[in-house]
Amino acid sequence: MAHPTPLDALYAFLVAAAVTALLTPLTMRLARTVGAIDEPRERGLSERPTPLLGGLAIFAGVLIAMLLWLPGGYYEEHELWHGVLIGAALITVVGALDDRFDLPPAVKLAGQVLAAVIVVHYGVAVKAITLPFVGKLAFPNAGVTNAGPVLTVIGLVAMMNVVNFSDGVDGLTAGVCAIIAAAMAVIAFDLSRQQPGVLAALTAGAALGFLFYNFPPASSFMGDCGANLLGLLMGVITVEAAVKTTAVVSFVLPLILLAVPFLDTTFVVLKRLKYKQPIYRSDSEHFHHRMARIGFSSRRTIAYLYAWTLMLAGLALALRFVPYSDHHGHLHTGWTLVMVALGLIVVAASVYLVYVLEIFKFRRLDAIRLRRLRPDASPAEIERDVARDFETGEFQTVSAPERGGSQASQISNERTVATPERGDAPAGGRPPLALGGSSATERGDVHVVGDDVDLGGAEQRVGEREVDQDRVGADDQRGGAQAPIAADRR
């Protein structure tokens, strides 16, 4: 099918969603049979054993839809989609083996690289990009300077790890990928990239079909096989649907759409580098971990991240469809003001979330927050806590007391070292911790409203601060700030 229509894309979306939803219960049964089960752990937040291997159902949905609507490639690259299927099958198998046997990070990385190389070999390679105000920038393409394919392989591997790293709370990865892929499908058809548009649509459908079983509280986890598969497909869609085109915004649109998972991974990796931790060492600094620590339930967490992703998708679509320019360098004042307003709204919402999650710390704002939480503390105590926040990157969390204990908030300044059970390696570990189900705040034991904490109906003022026991204290280890470390897998 050389020139599929938007209606074909819709059919592919529906078929991929239906096949994935129908086969997910079978993958759950298979996971239980072979022992690919995520077991609750002492420091984990899932309250019951949950089967992995949901990615096998996602692959089945993608496979059937691609065979029906993308059977023979397009134009001179008639084998391109065959290569995508081969690479997708390989990374799914590698991920499934890791879900069952916990492969070493080097093996998983090798599998990712091999899958990316296969896809690039069959034609998914960037040879030039178009930048705003710069124009077309061609990569060297001769001999050892053939940079396009090499950069594409690096980009695909990075995308697989970005998606895998973000798979840390029930429903997050599947929902975010569905939103981004759906937006990319619309943009691809507008850019006359019909077949990549169909791939984006069926990818969105497969992710949505799995979401029926992955929405919190999840009954199935996609595992490494699903996260890496979606990462590879998202990378292929980015290259084929946008980056290969000559549209001025073709390189900018994917960056906007993928901002949430890329920002999440970037902040986490930079913090690990700052505290001299291996980048594959898991920790509790992803967006969803931060939201859990400040009292968000898993459903509220994904609602915020879905909303953030939807705003960015809306901005990307507006950049493509709002007639603010005549494409010859002349701007239309009215529509330009509309775009500026939309951009400011998205930026303001993003800054607000960054502030809420305390990704960047502002000394004065942190002091005001601590003063509201600790009205009886002296200025010296507030200044000491602000300095400690800046040194360690830690921030307040409130937890329920142990059963049979005091009904007051259990507050401590103690720091302990927590050794991770395994890391979310760049090559992909098992999906990170699911935040739904067993946390005290989600069960209703703790309710945070403003400055008060309601424990079983009695309100207590928060007078002290508690540090998550999954964090690493600098004072005990090396006299300086240490990155928090915790298991980050389901």
Side-chain angles (χ1 to χ4, degrees):
M1 189 177 295
H3 299 286
T5 65
L7 189 59
D8 293 318
L10 176 61
Y11 291 151
F13 170 89
L14 294 174
V15 168
V19 171
T20 303
L22 289 173
L23 293 183
T24 298
L26 297 181
T27 65
M28 295 164 61
R29 184 179 304 176
L30 174 63
R32 293 189 180 97
T33 300
V34 302
I37 301 294
D38 177 65
E39 299 287 349
R41 294 172 301 281
E42 181 179 356
R43 289 181 286 109
L45 294 177
S46 58
E47 62 182 4
R48 64 181 185 273
T50 306
L52 298 165
L53 301 182
L56 296 178
I58 297 176
F59 175 73
V62 169
L63 174 65
I64 292 176
M66 286 189 70
L67 291 177
L68 290 174
W69 279 276
L70 298 175
Y74 61 94
Y75 306 122
E76 70 276 5
E77 300 169 333
H78 63 281
E79 294 184 345
L80 184 143
W81 300 119
H82 295 164
V84 172
L85 278 177
I86 294 172
L90 174 64
I91 198 59
T92 302
V93 170
V94 172
L97 291 174
D98 180 53
D99 288 334
R100 175 59 185 87
F101 299 107
D102 194 7
L103 301 177
V107 174
K108 292 179 283 188
L109 180 60
Q112 289 182 331
V113 172
L114 182 56
V117 168
I118 291 173
V119 169
V120 170
H121 173 74
Y122 277 88
V124 181
V126 178
K127 298 179 181 178
I129 59 175
T130 303
L131 300 176
F133 311 110
V134 176
K136 187 174 183 179
L137 177 63
F139 296 124
N141 58 2
V144 295
T145 62
N146 193 1
V150 174
L151 293 176
T152 306
V153 169
I154 295 173
L156 292 174
V157 173
M159 184 71 75
M160 284 183 264
N161 284 290
V162 164
V163 173
N164 190 50
F165 280 14
S166 68
D167 185 27
V169 60
D170 300 349
L172 177 59
T173 297
V176 167
C177 285
I179 294 170
I180 296 172
M184 286 298 300
V186 175
I187 292 171
F189 272 94
D190 186 64
L191 293 172
S192 298
R193 304 289 288 179
Q194 291 89 350
Q195 294 206 9
V198 171
L199 178 64
L202 64 88
T203 300
L208 184 63
F210 182 70
L211 193 58
F212 285 108
Y213 298 90
N214 192 234
F215 195 81
S219 58
S220 176
F221 295 155
M222 68 173 64
D224 256 24
C225 56
N228 281 294
L229 171 63
L230 287 177
L232 178 65
L233 293 175
M234 296 300 294
V236 171
I237 292 166
T238 300
V239 171
E240 291 296 322
V243 178
K244 275 190 174 182
T245 69
T246 58
V248 174
V249 294
S250 63
F251 189 70
V252 176
L253 295 179
L255 295 179
I256 295 174
L257 287 168
L258 296 165
V260 172
F262 267 109
L263 285 174
D264 182 30
T265 301
T266 299
F267 285 128
V268 168
V269 170
L270 288 178
K271 189 157 191 177
R272 293 173 189 175
L273 293 175
K274 174 182 177 181
Y275 294 107
K276 297 180 174 58
Q277 299 292 334
I279 61 174
Y280 57 82
R281 179 76 61 83
S282 62
D283 59 29
S284 55
E285 292 305 306
H286 291 281
F287 290 168
H288 46 270
H289 290 130
R290 291 171 177 265
M291 288 179 167
R293 285 198 299 271
I294 61 178
F296 285 23
S297 69
S298 57
R299 290 194 176 191
R300 187 180 179 188
T301 294
I302 64 173
Y304 271 65
L305 295 176
Y306 284 177
W308 193 3
T309 305
L310 282 169
M311 284 192 299
L312 291 166
L315 178 61
L317 291 171
L319 283 171
R320 183 58 196 167
F321 291 101
V322 173
Y324 60 89
S325 170
D326 62 1
H327 304 294
H328 296 287
H330 301 96
L331 300 177
H332 301 300
T333 304
W335 287 115
T336 300
L337 292 176
V338 170
M339 289 304 304
V340 171
L342 289 175
L344 289 175
I345 291 172
V346 173
V347 169
S350 301
V351 170
Y352 170 75
L353 285 173
V354 166
Y355 167 70
V356 167
L357 298 179
E358 298 194 6
I359 295 170
F360 293 124
K361 285 189 172 291
F362 303 93
R363 184 175 292 272
R364 182 177 296 275
L365 293 178
D366 197 38
I368 294 173
R369 178 180 61 84
L370 292 176
R371 172 61 64 188
R372 291 179 65 245
L373 292 172
R374 303 180 58 194
D376 298 329
S378 68
E381 290 174 325
I382 294 295
E383 181 62 26
R384 181 194 62 199
D385 286 343
V386 169
R388 182 168 53 212
D389 281 351
F390 273 76
E391 178 186 5
T392 65
E394 297 172 351
F395 61 97
Q396 177 178 320
T397 183
V398 181
S399 67
E402 296 179 1
R403 298 294 180 185
S406 169
Q407 287 296 306
S409 300
Q410 305 299 301
I411 306 296
S412 171
N413 284 327
E414 178 183 356
R415 286 171 168 79
T416 58
V417 178
T419 303
E421 297 180 15
R422 74 175 280 205
D424 53 351
R430 288 191 186 165
L433 292 173
L435 295 179
S438 64
S439 64
T441 54
E442 190 169 348
R443 290 197 309 268
D445 297 335
V446 179
H447 304 279
V448 180
V449 182
D451 298 335
D452 297 326
V453 179
D454 180 10
L455 295 172
E459 292 186 355
Q460 297 289 340
R461 176 70 63 177
V462 178
E464 299 179 10
R465 307 176 68 237
E466 173 177 287
V467 176
D468 190 340
Q469 291 185 355
D470 283 344
R471 319 199 55 102
V472 174
D475 302 336
D476 298 332
Q477 291 300 302
R478 54 185 178 87
Q482 187 96 339
I485 302 175
D488 192 9
R489 53 171 284 201
R490 291 191 190 272

